[in-house]
Amino acid sequence: MLNQALGTHIILDLYGCNSNLLMHVEDVQSIMREATKRAKFTVVTEEYHQFKPHGVSGATIIQESHLTLHSWPEFGYASLEIYYCGNNDFVEDAVVYLVGAFEAKHVERKDMKRGFPETCLQYV
């Protein structure tokens, strides 16, 4: 396991999204649930909040870690994170689904490996 990260953090900035989808907690939560299914993640709990006059923020806690979303419907923008531990051969299915489901016209993505055992062990 040395030289292999404990987790992977995918950060997605989705631009030009369907503002109607980003505006309603039910739509956002449904899309996030489907993404977790496509990645074959195990859901522990979820909490999503509807802001007034518009916008949604929320998190899905998974056994493997979490997915989060913050939406700005007035800008057609969604900020998403997928953080998971171990390997997952299906996470790309979730990413592709999220981009399509929110109808993003432009995507900026950052992938980060996090938590290297050899570094952790230096501080134990």
Side-chain angles (χ1 to χ4, degrees):
M1 179 132 178
L2 292 178
N3 296 320
Q4 183 176 357
L6 297 173
T8 301
H9 199 159
I10 300 172
I11 299 169
L12 298 169
D13 289 324
L14 305 184
Y15 295 93
C17 295
N18 181 329
S19 292
N20 289 327
L21 293 173
L22 297 178
M23 196 169 300
H24 304 289
V25 70
E26 298 83 8
D27 294 330
V28 167
Q29 196 167 11
S30 175
I31 290 169
M32 296 298 279
R33 280 183 187 148
E34 182 61 26
T36 61
K37 289 179 188 174
R38 292 187 184 221
K40 301 195 184 318
F41 289 138
T42 305
V43 175
V44 174
T45 190
E46 56 188 357
E47 184 68 36
Y48 287 81
H49 178 76
Q50 179 76 58
F51 289 101
K52 301 292 181 199
H54 44 67
V56 176
S57 287
T60 300
I61 306 304
I62 55 176
Q63 253 181 347
E64 301 81 2
S65 199
H66 69 266
L67 289 81
T68 62
L69 174 137
H70 304 281
S71 75
W72 286 263
E74 68 273 30
F75 296 107
Y77 172 74
S79 169
L80 286 95
E81 297 180 1
I82 302 172
Y83 184 72
Y84 63 96
C85 302
N87 295 316
N88 183 306
D89 294 330
F90 304 101
V91 73
E92 287 306 314
D93 295 340
V95 170
V96 169
Y97 171 76
L98 288 165
V99 170
F102 287 115
E103 302 175 21
K105 291 181 178 69
H106 177 73
V107 178
E108 293 180 7
R109 176 178 172 163
K110 297 177 187 90
D111 290 53
M112 298 169 38
K113 297 293 184 183
R114 299 185 65 191
F116 294 92
E118 60 272 15
T119 304
C120 296
L121 293 172
Q122 293 176 24
Y123 301 99
V124 175

